[in-house]
Amino acid sequence: MAQKTVLWWGRFDPGYSRNRVYIALFKELGWDVRFFQIKACCALGDWEFALRGPKDVRPDVVWVPVARQRDAAAACRWAHRRGIPVLFDPMISAWDKKVLEQQKWSADERRAKRLLAWETQLFNAVDLLLCDTSCHADFFHQHMSVPREKLRVLLTGTDEQVFKPAAEGEDPPHDPAAPLRILYHGAYLPLHGTETIVEAARLTQGLNIHWDFLGWGAYKAATEAKAKGITNITFLNKVPYVDVPRVIRSADIVLGVFGTTEKASRVIGNKVYEAMACCRPVINEFCTGYPPEAKTCPAITFIPPGDPQALAEAVKPWLNKREALTALRPVARTFFEQHLSMRVIKQQLADILKDAAAIHP
């Protein structure tokens, strides 16, 4: 059987975690992965392909990667003229981000309506729309009128060559006298609810609990300002991507997302995948996109969104149960392997590609 080819289309970052995972899985499935990086105008990508695109590629699938709405229309024009299906991995809705999450625009504004109409047209033009959770599939169906038969769930995953259990002897030894260390790591997005974490830290001052923040992003300065004067918080220096697992494994518990926006309730944060891959239990607000088994997994604690008291109360009992907390590390890894790992996502992708093979644009 001839090797199949996927053409990654657009102005994207191949090093971004979600892209890295899917590129690796395509290769594991035996596909040839080719790239067309747009240099000029995304909206005219099909014209640019005619000028400088690879002449020897006739892909079986065109893949528009994460958050590249601006590339989707040109990809569809180019691919559909040739009878090639287009798969788009938006992960987020630009309209959702502007209107519902950041609340920069009102839904009644003309520009918000234009954005919704534009994104609705794009999402319906592609042949399959990929969603990181079932919640986002519901959202795209309800707000962008994408037919259910076009929607597919493809979990985010993480780079398991980087995020993995410690080698023998590398895990920090259990020290009952050391502070209980709680870690937030991420991009300080509104959906993360870092203000909730800061207030939980404030509520636990005087206890043997320390809260570490690792990362960077637009809301980091605001988070640091809220944390001023709180004695049990440290903002860690930036580390290379490959060193993030070391920081995760220095923590006892890793935090997910706690924002009160609608989007926060629809995601499984990268930090959850990364923490559980590194054998660390997590605390997070609940999302119905989690596998059903998450509700009974002792390595995952769900609390209400935006509730610092609930977060503090979820942490405090572990002060006197350090050995039990350490025992949850292999439990976290087992849950990851069974429900969130690349092995699981590889099967999801294989099923999606079977469906794509039956599409004739």
Side-chain angles (χ1 to χ4, degrees), residues 130-282:
L130 310 176
C131 316
D132 63 328
T133 64
S134 58
C135 313
H136 267 131
D138 292 339
F139 180 87
F140 296 148
H141 175 68
Q142 292 162 7
H143 291 275
M144 283 82 181
S145 303
V146 181
R148 291 284 185 187
E149 57 269 24
K150 279 193 172 189
L151 296 165
R152 298 292 186 277
V153 173
L154 187 63
L155 294 174
T156 297
T158 191
D159 186 341
E160 294 176 30
Q161 297 300 311
V162 176
F163 294 91
K164 56 189 177 182
E168 187 174 352
E170 287 185 358
D171 232 350
H174 171 65
D175 180 1
L180 185 69
R181 301 204 79 91
I182 316 299
L183 175 68
Y184 162 84
H185 72 289
Y188 291 87
L189 299 174
L191 68 91
H192 291 175
T194 53
E195 66 280 0
T196 296
I197 302 170
V198 168
E199 289 307 308
R202 190 189 304 277
L203 292 170
T204 59
Q205 288 185 111
L207 299 176
N208 196 24
I209 301 173
H210 199 90
W211 305 70
D212 292 316
F213 286 72
L214 175 69
W216 51 92
Y219 292 86
K220 182 180 180 181
T223 303
E224 289 176 325
K226 289 179 184 295
K228 191 172 183 179
I230 301 177
T231 58
N232 59 342
I233 288 179
T234 298
F235 288 89
L236 303 174
N237 293 329
K238 185 176 179 179
V239 301
Y241 177 77
V242 294
D243 285 341
V244 174
R246 174 184 55 78
V247 180
I248 291 174
R249 291 193 293 264
S250 72
D252 296 296
I253 299 171
V254 177
L255 303 177
V257 300
F258 306 101
T260 55
T261 64
E262 289 184 33
K263 180 172 172 53
S265 67
R266 292 195 295 269
V267 303
I268 304 174
N270 282 358
K271 51 187 62 54
V272 172
Y273 290 93
E274 293 164 357
M276 301 192 84
C278 292
C279 305
R280 288 302 181 268
V282 297

Side-chain angles (χ1 to χ4, degrees), residues 281-302:
V282 297
I283 302 175
N284 197 71
E285 71 175 76
F286 183 66
C287 160
T288 57
Y290 276 90
E293 295 82 358
K295 289 184 177 181
T296 56
C297 176
I300 306 176
T301 301
F302 291 114

Side-chain angles (χ1 to χ4, degrees), residues 4 9 22 35 39 81 84 91 121 126-127 141 144 146 156 204 255 317 319 334 339 343:
K4 293 193 173 183
W9 179 291
Y22 297 160
F35 301 99
K39 304 294 184 184
R81 290 189 196 114
I84 302 169
M91 190 167 76
Q121 183 178 18
V126 301
D127 299 287
H141 175 68
M144 283 82 181
V146 181
T156 297
T204 59
L255 303 177
L319 272 171
T334 297
H339 303 288
R343 176 180 60 82

Side-chain angles (χ1 to χ4, degrees), residues 311-341:
L311 178 53
E313 294 303 319
V315 167
K316 287 191 288 187
W318 294 112
L319 272 171
N320 300 315
K321 297 191 294 183
R322 298 293 189 89
E323 291 185 2
L325 184 59
T326 301
L328 289 180
R329 293 177 181 179
V331 177
R333 177 67 193 190
T334 297
F335 181 86
F336 172 80
E337 290 174 355
Q338 292 178 346
H339 303 288
L340 302 176
S341 66

